[in-house]
């Protein structure tokens, strides 16, 4: 070790912003830092603080800047602490330039493609480099078998693919996560089996668009499964994962409506362990807006798909993402979105105000006035809440298996868990039941969640 080194970090914290992809990357980053002999601790006490950032909307960027303002004061008191930034936001050159100028106390910047190199970056800082910035603009190395530290003992995410090829005109993801590439089935199934052996009961298969799993495989030539079945695709994978012993539930995220196949619907219907829940982002109910978003489906295509799913999987729960205020959205376009929400009857819908992302095609289009968009957003929120509560109430009085996830932090003596439909249920119970699947009668529907009792 370098004798002149002042810094001698022993603890770290990884703070995650954004989606499940980032959450999953953070689990790996934590595992990697632990193999360096560092111990995870609270952010306030950590010698090394790394923010895994999101840039899907501008408010994600603003949130990070707010946190950096606070960190600056800590760093003034403790100049030896290491502050690192990684993740999606760091894949944008203009953002990195801004961060370096405004927050010069940040020691380390890396991106989405090279977080497995974190130990090397930290060693360079410890050896005396004042600032390390290393961003790759593509995945130059594919690394399997990274260590990881899972957040929950009984459920785990597994990446089945990385990146995105869809180029929706509003979205920054293809630019910060690169082209779509799928892992071979052997690697995924090995992960799932290892998780099962480690006590995991629920698997979440992760990809930006799981329905195009298998279009572009990495290391295809090494796969025996693909030699036997060159058409191996997501329905095959879902079936294989469901059949791993020890696993009780399988979820996946996210599905693009343009290529959700009949075969996939059949597998979800047939495989008992496949959760009867599909997150199917619609974005807008207007065919014209969908076309300008480059979504490759019409309002009618989407409604037909919903119909088909409902016929094949009774009681299925559907959730979605909807955006308001896309450039050029007319009153009629917005009315089409509202009527689609009424018609489909989502269990839950995540609503967003369109946010300009530099470098995307929609950023060049004429933007709508903010006050109009805010009014539309409020209106949509009300419809989504009312319809969601009506639809979710269909389970009142039913007894369903619930995976107990945690002791309820607010109500002593209560547990919180999820049905396979991803509906939250609070019910009396004790900590020994966490991680188990319990039969619960759903008694009182409170909109998006239930109170129930064990039976
Ligand atoms: N502005 C607002 N919402 C966005 N999303 C993606 N890009 C943007 C943007 N520029 C939403 C979409 C997507 C979800 C993850 O985030 O609804 O499905
Ligand atoms: Fe996730 Fe997208 Fe945000 Fe990146 S930009 S963290 S992929 S939501």
């Amino acid at each position: 070790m370098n004798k002149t080194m002042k810094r001698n970090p022993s603890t770290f914290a990884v703070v995650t912003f954004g989606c499940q992809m980032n959450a999953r990357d953070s689990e790996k980053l934590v595992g990697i830092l632990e193999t360096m002999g560092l111990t995870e601790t609270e952010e306030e006490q950590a010698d090394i603080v790394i923010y895994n950032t999101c840039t899907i909307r501008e408010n994600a960027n603003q949130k990070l800047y707010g946190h950096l303002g606070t960190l600056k004061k800590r760093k003034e008191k403790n100049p030896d602490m290491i502050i690192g930034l990684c993740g999606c936001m760091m894949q944008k050159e203009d953002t990195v330039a801004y961060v370096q100028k405004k927050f010069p106390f940040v020691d380390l910047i890396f991106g989405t493609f090279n977080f497995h190199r974190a130990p090397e970056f930290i060693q360079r800082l410890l050896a005396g480099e004042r600032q390390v910035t290393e961003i790759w603009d593509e995945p130059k190395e594919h690394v399997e078998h990274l260590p990881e530290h899972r957040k929950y003992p009984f459920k785990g995410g597994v990446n089945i693919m990385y990146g995105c090829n869809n180029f929706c005109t509003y979205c920054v993801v293809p630019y910060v996560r690169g082209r779509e590439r799928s892992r071979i089935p052997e690697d995924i199934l090995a992960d799932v089996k290892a998780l099962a052996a480690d006590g995991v009961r629920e698997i979440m298969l992760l990809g930006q668009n799981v329905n195009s799993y298998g279009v572009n495989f990495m290391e295809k030539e090494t796969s025996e499964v693909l030699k036997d079945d060159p058409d191996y695709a997501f329905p095959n994978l879902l079936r294989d994962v469901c059949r791993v012993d020890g696993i009780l539930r399988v979820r996946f995220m996210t599905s693009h409506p343009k290529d959700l196949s009949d075969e996939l619907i059949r597998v979800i219907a047939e495989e008992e362990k496949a959760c009867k829940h599909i997150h199917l982002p619609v974005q807008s109910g207007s065919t014209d807006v969908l076309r300008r978003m480059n979504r490759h489906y019409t309002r009618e295509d989407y409604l037909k798909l919903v119909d088909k799913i409902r016929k094949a999987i009774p009681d299925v729960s559907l959730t979605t993402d909807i955006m308001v205020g896309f450039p050029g959205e007319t009153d009629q376009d917005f009315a089409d979105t509202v009527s689609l929400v009424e018609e489909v009857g989502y269990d839950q819908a995540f609503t967003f105000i369109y946010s300009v992302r530099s470098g995307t095609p929609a950023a060049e289009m004429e933007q709508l006035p903010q006050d109009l968009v805010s009014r539309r957003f409020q209106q949509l929120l009300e419809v989504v809440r009312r319809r969601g509560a009506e639809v979710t109430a269909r389970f009142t009085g039913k007894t369903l298996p619930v995976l107990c996830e945690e002791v309820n932090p607010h109500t002593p003596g209560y547990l919180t868990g999820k049905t396979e439909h991803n509906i939250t249920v609070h019910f009396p119970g004790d900590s020994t039941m966490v991680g188990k699947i319990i039969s619960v009668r759903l008694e009182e529907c409170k909109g998006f969640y239930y109170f129930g009792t064990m039976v």
Side-chain angles (χ1 to χ4, degrees):
M1 277 269 181
N2 183 341
K3 286 242 168 56
T4 61
M5 186 185 86
K6 280 197 296 169
R7 286 167 158 172
N8 187 15
S10 62
T11 57
F12 73 92
V14 174
V15 182
T16 311
F17 300 87
C19 67
Q20 309 228 18
M21 286 292 166
N22 260 19
R24 181 76 192 118
D25 287 352
S26 287
E27 289 185 342
K28 294 179 192 165
L29 187 55
V30 169
I32 292 168
L33 296 176
E34 283 176 341
T35 58
M36 294 178 73
L38 297 162
T39 310
E40 191 179 17
T41 184
E42 299 293 312
E43 186 192 344
E44 288 69 31
Q45 275 98 52
D47 300 329
I48 303 176
V49 176
I50 298 182
Y51 284 168
N52 190 1
T53 64
C54 170
T55 190
I56 191 89
R57 285 169 287 274
E58 183 54 30
N59 54 12
N61 289 38
Q62 295 306 328
K63 205 160 138 193
L64 178 78
Y65 302 146
H67 279 269
L68 284 175
T70 315
L71 267 189
K72 182 174 182 213
K73 297 199 186 77
R74 256 190 77 197
K75 177 104 179 179
E76 278 164 5
K77 282 200 209 118
N78 175 12
D80 281 351
M81 81 176 284
I82 291 176
I83 297 176
L85 303 177
C86 65
C88 296
M89 205 171 142
M90 300 305 123
Q91 290 297 138
K92 299 277 290 170
E93 244 172 76
D94 49 348
T95 311
V96 171
Y98 178 82
V99 167
Q100 285 176 324
K101 188 153 168 264
K102 278 275 193 188
F103 308 99
F105 56 88
V106 169
D107 304 275
L108 170 60
I109 296 179
F110 53 103
T112 58
F113 299 119
N114 60 347
F115 65 85
H116 58 284
R117 295 283 189 109
E120 174 197 319
F121 304 146
I122 291 172
Q123 289 303 343
R124 277 164 56 187
L125 287 170
L126 298 183
E129 271 186 63
R130 209 198 63 74
Q131 223 271 345
V132 173
T133 298
E134 202 164 305
I135 316 279
W136 294 357
D137 53 12
E138 56 179 8
K140 285 192 252 178
E141 292 167 357
H142 171 57
V143 193
E144 285 286 337
H145 313 300
L146 285 174
E148 63 180 42
H149 184 124
R150 269 181 294 113
K151 208 171 156 201
Y152 298 96
F154 53 87
K155 64 174 184 179
V158 176
N159 296 102
I160 65 165
M161 59 206 293
Y162 304 99
C164 180
N165 277 1
N166 290 317
F167 288 97
C168 301
T169 54
Y170 50 80
C171 190
V172 74
V173 171
Y175 306 91
V176 297
R177 292 259 171 195
R179 293 294 65 69
E180 196 174 276
R181 50 219 184 271
S182 302
R183 295 175 68 206
I184 55 173
E186 282 93 334
D187 285 345
I188 297 169
L189 288 163
D191 280 3
V192 173
K193 284 175 191 159
L195 288 170
D198 203 21
V200 166
R201 298 294 164 252
E202 181 176 295
I203 294 286
M204 169 72 90
L205 301 175
L206 290 170
Q208 296 295 347
N209 175 16
V210 294
N211 302 320
S212 59
Y213 170 78
V215 174
N216 304 294
F217 276 114
M218 298 178 283
E219 297 163 346
K220 189 173 182 169
E221 55 296 337
T222 64
S223 167
E224 291 301 321
V225 176
L226 297 179
K227 253 177 234 151
D228 286 350
D229 180 3
D231 296 327
Y232 192 96
F234 187 59
N236 308 75
L237 181 71
L238 181 59
R239 213 184 271 286
D240 286 346
V241 171
C242 285
R243 300 203 172 168
V244 172
D245 285 341
I247 297 300
L248 300 179
R249 281 182 170 179
V250 184
R251 302 184 180 280
F252 56 87
M253 179 112 169
T254 291
S255 283
H256 195 304
K258 80 176 158 65
D259 35 32
L260 193 147
S261 66
D262 293 356
E263 180 59 15
L264 179 60
I265 297 175
R266 188 162 45 243
V267 173
I268 300 169
E270 283 173 7
E271 289 294 325
E272 214 178 312
K273 295 180 191 173
C275 288
K276 309 303 178 238
H277 166 222
I278 304 180
H279 184 63
L280 199 61
V282 68
Q283 312 301 356
S284 168
S286 152
T287 294
D288 186 52
V289 172
L290 289 169
R291 186 181 48 74
R292 290 188 297 106
M293 287 176 165
N294 195 32
R295 292 290 289 175
H296 296 281
Y297 55 88
T298 65
R299 172 194 176 88
E300 289 68 33
D301 294 336
Y302 187 91
L303 289 172
K304 262 192 227 146
L305 179 61
V306 166
D307 224 37
K308 199 155 63 174
I309 294 171
R310 286 243 162 89
K311 285 208 176 93
I313 315 169
D315 259 355
V316 66
S317 118
L318 293 177
T319 55
T320 199
D321 295 340
I322 308 172
M323 213 181 295
V324 173
F326 185 78
E329 180 188 72
T330 63
D331 285 343
Q332 184 56 49
D333 291 328
F334 176 64
D336 287 348
T337 295
V338 172
S339 74
L340 181 128
V341 170
E342 291 280 8
E343 198 172 332
V344 172
Y346 293 106
D347 284 74
Q348 202 166 354
F350 301 94
T351 48
F352 307 105
I353 288 182
Y354 165 76
S355 169
V356 180
R357 305 323 288 137
S358 65
T360 62
E364 309 300 316
M365 303 176 189
E366 196 179 331
Q367 307 296 318
L368 293 179
Q370 274 310 311
D371 55 339
L372 172 74
V373 177
S374 303
R375 261 182 281 132
R376 285 182 185 166
F377 184 71
Q378 286 309 323
Q379 196 188 330
L380 179 68
L381 216 51
E382 268 169 45
V383 180
V384 159
R385 282 210 189 110
R386 176 180 49 73
R387 252 337 245 136
E390 286 167 9
V391 170
T392 304
R394 74 187 180 287
F395 294 109
T396 309
K398 289 201 174 168
T399 298
L400 296 174
V402 170
L403 177 64
C404 307
E405 299 206 331
E406 58 178 1
V407 174
N408 189 303
H410 309 293
T411 320
Y414 270 74
L415 293 175
T416 297
K418 290 249 164 69
T419 72
E420 65 169 321
H421 313 93
N422 212 31
I423 294 171
T424 300
V425 188
H426 306 294
F427 57 100
D430 63 72
S431 60
T432 59
M433 287 147 63
V434 171
K436 300 202 171 109
I437 292 188
I438 308 269
S439 270
V440 179
R441 190 168 53 242
L442 276 58
E443 284 160 349
E444 202 185 335
C445 182
K446 292 279 191 186
F448 294 114
Y449 63 93
Y450 273 91
F451 280 107
T453 42
M454 262 195 304
V455 291

